Amino acid sequence: MISESVDDYLKAILELGGAHDERVTTNALAERLGVRTPSVTGMLQKLAAQKPLLVLYEKHRGVQLTAAGKRRAWELVRHHRLLELFLHDVLKYSWDEVHDEAERLEHFISERFEDRVSAILGDPEFDPHGHAIPRKDQSGVFRDEATLAEWPLHKPAIISSVSDRNAASLRELERLGLMPGAALIVEQRKSSGALAVRLDGGPEVIRVNKDLAFRVLVGNRQR
Amino acid sequence: MISESVDDYLKAILELGGAHDERVTTNALAERLGVRTPSVTGMLQKLAAQKPLLVLYEKHRGVQLTAAGKRRAWELVRHHRLLELFLHDVLKYSWDEVHDEAERLEHFISERFEDRVSAILGDPEFDPHGHAIPRKDQSGVFRDEATLAEWPLHKPAIISSVSDRNAASLRELERLGLMPGAALIVEQRKSSGALAVRLDGGPEVIRVNKDLAFRVLVGNRQR
DNA sequence: GTTAGGATTTAGCTATGCCTAAATTAGTTA
DNA sequence: TAACTAATTTAGGCATAGCTAAATCCTAAC
Ligand SMILES: [Mn+2]
Ligand SMILES: [Mn+2]
Ligand SMILES: [Mn+2]
Ligand SMILES: [Mn+2]
């Protein structure tokens, strides 16, 4: 069996490696997982040594997932996003409350639980933050999204997803109406990195600070 | 924080100690938890030594829960039974499938999860096997139930609950119609311990083997 | 009262996964 | 090319929670 810790390493390697499976550094993993670098080295050595080979690791050269590692990591992502939507839609959590609970439970639900939740939700495609829910037993995909921080001025944008890693930011985004599906135009970019944004051709201009602007991912069209 | 292992020890001590908080032996715990006796001794020594005092332990004289230990143990029982009912009613698990999943998840759900599930289910009183769900932040109670195995002949009985620890037995009980709320009379007791049982004054007589008879708890009246 | 045998504890190990401090490596910069 | 530095690894520990083998305790039977 795969432990909760190993699970978290696999998911972090997947997410940090991005669309092209880039090698992930010891430092990046330590940072993401909130552990010290020697702990990461230790874990990677152990993983690279043992039987169901989940990672490819070369000393000083970073780590990548094997096919098996990728399979498990995507399964965790599916668990996480299904759980988030379930907590939100069925248990009436607000969208800033779902992440922490899903992060814990994703490791412990069974296949049956996963299947039943998916069925109840109608085999959904997106979680409450706009992230795509991978199909069962399939690799997910990384959409190529731009951050709102880097989006050109005056070019129409649709919010595709928002970062779910900070609850306070999520509450702020909700208050501002910056949620997946919202259409907007960036009207001005301050030297501080703050933006002036107009929602949906509406009347008000919204101030979006730099931090927040990096947490909003946008595209040209609906999803 | 209390680990999953400690949780399981507390719950086992509660259940083995029964209504009168009898001292629980090392052996009984080892048997119930599926670990070896030295592991139990080790755990009890550790628990008895550390800060939030959860158990009272005297060498060679068994172990009991403190008030704090009892509080945590009953909370776990509440989690377990709420989860079982939730899995059964909302996620459409059959009653023989709920126990194992609940046994795992009971340790990891938050207060919020507990509260939302309880609300969705309408603050329910009983789980799918007829066990009482303790009220939030309250000690549960041990009902004094008799097993069907020891119930007098020809005396009307109502099934109050059934053991949830064996899936095959649960399927058998369901097939026979021996479920919480069912009224019955024991018509005959074989030397093997098997019973002949008539449901609800109905026409058929059901054969209930000894093992099954010990898994069914009955009382005089509805709940 | 002794004593045998079952229950329990002690002693000593293992694996996981984290930590700090110290050593080493690799890549850049002078 | 040599040295510096940041990244990484090694060395040595700790806590949790399990295990086997061996010692010890308690009680019940003699
Ligand atoms: Mn999330
Ligand atoms: Mn996680
Ligand atoms: Mn159960
Ligand atoms: Mn459990």
Side-chain angles (χ1 to χ4, degrees):
Chain A
M1 263 298 60
I2 298 179
S3 72
E4 184 177 359
S5 275
V6 170
D7 268 357
D8 282 337
Y9 277 85
L10 296 178
K11 198 158 68 117
I13 295 167
L14 178 77
E15 286 165 358
L16 294 171
H20 303 299
D21 283 343
E22 280 153 33
R23 280 196 289 263
V24 176
T25 66
T26 302
N27 253 1
L29 274 174
E31 157 100 49
R32 163 70 68 123
L33 294 170
V35 299
R36 302 300 193 146
T37 54
S39 307
V40 173
T41 300
M43 177 63 94
L44 295 182
Q45 287 173 343
K46 203 200 63 179
L47 285 180
Q50 77 187 11
K51 261 247 306 262
L53 198 61
L54 299 168
V55 303
L56 301 173
Y57 168 63
E58 281 177 281
K59 233 188 213 199
H60 293 284
R61 321 208 57 217
V63 67
Q64 290 173 293
L65 296 177
T66 62
K70 226 180 287 183
R71 216 176 304 129
R72 175 60 183 170
W74 277 117
E75 187 185 10
L76 283 168
V77 172
R78 174 169 164 85
H79 287 185
H80 183 93
R81 294 179 181 172
L82 272 176
L83 278 165
E84 285 191 344
L85 188 63
F86 172 76
L87 294 169
H88 185 263
D89 286 7
V90 177
L91 298 191
K92 305 304 175 191
Y93 280 50
S94 60
W95 79 337
D96 59 303
E97 293 168 339
V98 298
H99 180 79
D100 290 352
E101 187 98 39
E103 190 68 35
R104 214 167 346 97
L105 294 180
E106 65 188 7
H107 308 283
F108 305 110
I109 65 173
S110 65
E111 282 303 292
R112 175 176 287 126
F113 192 104
E114 173 190 333
D115 294 344
R116 299 297 163 88
V117 164
S118 183
I120 276 199
L121 296 171
D123 295 320
E125 291 189 58
F126 299 98
D127 78 14
H129 313 108
H131 298 120
I133 299 172
R135 316 271 62 187
K136 178 145 175 137
D137 298 324
Q138 285 190 236
S139 223
V141 289
F142 290 88
R143 286 181 287 178
D144 56 327
E145 300 168 308
T147 69
L148 188 57
E150 63 191 326
W151 193 255
L153 292 183
H154 308 300
K155 180 177 177 185
I158 307 270
I159 297 179
S160 62
S161 69
V162 301
S163 166
D164 60 358
R165 302 182 64 95
N166 183 278
S169 298
L170 281 172
R171 286 191 293 275
E172 179 73 355
L173 288 172
E174 182 168 33
R175 198 180 61 76
L176 296 172
L178 298 176
M179 300 175 68
L184 57 81
I185 284 175
V186 180
E187 303 219 321
Q188 200 189 341
R189 176 166 283 114
K190 309 277 173 56
S191 61
S192 65
L195 309 177
V197 163
R198 185 180 302 275
L199 265 180
D200 229 356
E204 310 153 43
V205 171
I206 293 167
R207 240 170 198 33
V208 179
N209 71 37
K210 183 178 174 182
D211 173 68
L212 232 44
F214 275 100
R215 294 180 182 276
V216 175
L217 299 179
V218 295
N220 290 309
R221 56 177 197 285
Q222 211 62 34
R223 247 121 199 202
Chain B
M1 259 301 59
I2 298 181
S3 71
E4 184 178 358
S5 275
V6 171
D7 267 356
D8 282 337
Y9 277 86
L10 297 177
K11 199 159 66 114
I13 296 167
L14 178 76
E15 287 166 356
L16 294 171
H20 304 298
D21 284 344
E22 281 154 32
R23 281 196 288 265
V24 175
T25 66
T26 302
N27 253 1
L29 275 173
E31 157 99 49
R32 163 71 68 125
L33 294 170
V35 299
R36 301 300 193 147
T37 53
S39 307
V40 173
T41 300
M43 177 62 95
L44 295 182
Q45 287 173 343
K46 203 199 62 181
L47 286 180
Q50 78 186 13
K51 259 245 307 264
L53 197 60
L54 299 168
V55 302
L56 301 174
Y57 167 62
E58 281 177 283
K59 229 188 218 201
H60 291 286
R61 321 208 56 218
V63 67
Q64 290 172 294
L65 296 176
T66 63
K70 226 178 289 183
R71 217 176 303 128
R72 176 60 183 169
W74 277 117
E75 188 187 9
L76 284 167
V77 171
R78 175 169 163 84
H79 287 185
H80 183 92
R81 295 179 181 172
L82 272 177
L83 279 165
E84 287 192 343
L85 188 63
F86 172 76
L87 295 169
H88 185 263
D89 286 7
V90 178
L91 296 191
K92 305 305 177 191
Y93 281 50
S94 60
W95 79 337
D96 59 302
E97 292 169 338
V98 297
H99 179 79
D100 290 352
E101 187 100 38
E103 190 69 34
R104 212 166 348 97
L105 294 180
E106 65 187 5
H107 308 283
F108 305 111
I109 65 173
S110 66
E111 283 303 291
R112 175 177 286 126
F113 192 103
E114 173 190 333
D115 294 345
R116 298 299 164 88
V117 164
S118 183
I120 278 200
L121 296 171
D123 294 320
E125 291 189 57
F126 299 98
D127 78 12
H129 314 107
H131 298 120
I133 299 172
R135 318 270 60 187
K136 180 150 173 132
D137 297 325
Q138 284 190 239
S139 222
V141 288
F142 289 87
R143 288 180 287 176
D144 55 327
E145 301 168 306
T147 67
L148 188 57
E150 62 192 325
W151 193 254
L153 292 185
H154 308 301
K155 180 177 177 185
I158 307 269
I159 297 179
S160 64
S161 69
V162 301
S163 166
D164 61 357
R165 301 181 65 95
N166 182 279
S169 299
L170 282 172
R171 287 192 292 274
E172 179 73 355
L173 288 171
E174 184 169 31
R175 195 178 64 76
L176 296 172
L178 298 176
M179 301 175 67
L184 56 80
I185 284 177
V186 180
E187 304 219 320
Q188 199 189 341
R189 177 166 283 114
K190 308 278 171 61
S191 59
S192 66
L195 309 178
V197 162
R198 186 182 301 274
L199 265 179
D200 230 354
E204 308 156 44
V205 172
I206 293 167
R207 242 173 196 32
V208 180
N209 71 38
K210 183 178 175 182
D211 173 68
L212 233 43
F214 275 100
R215 295 179 181 276
V216 175
L217 299 179
V218 294
N220 290 311
R221 56 178 196 285
Q222 211 62 33
R223 248 119 197 197

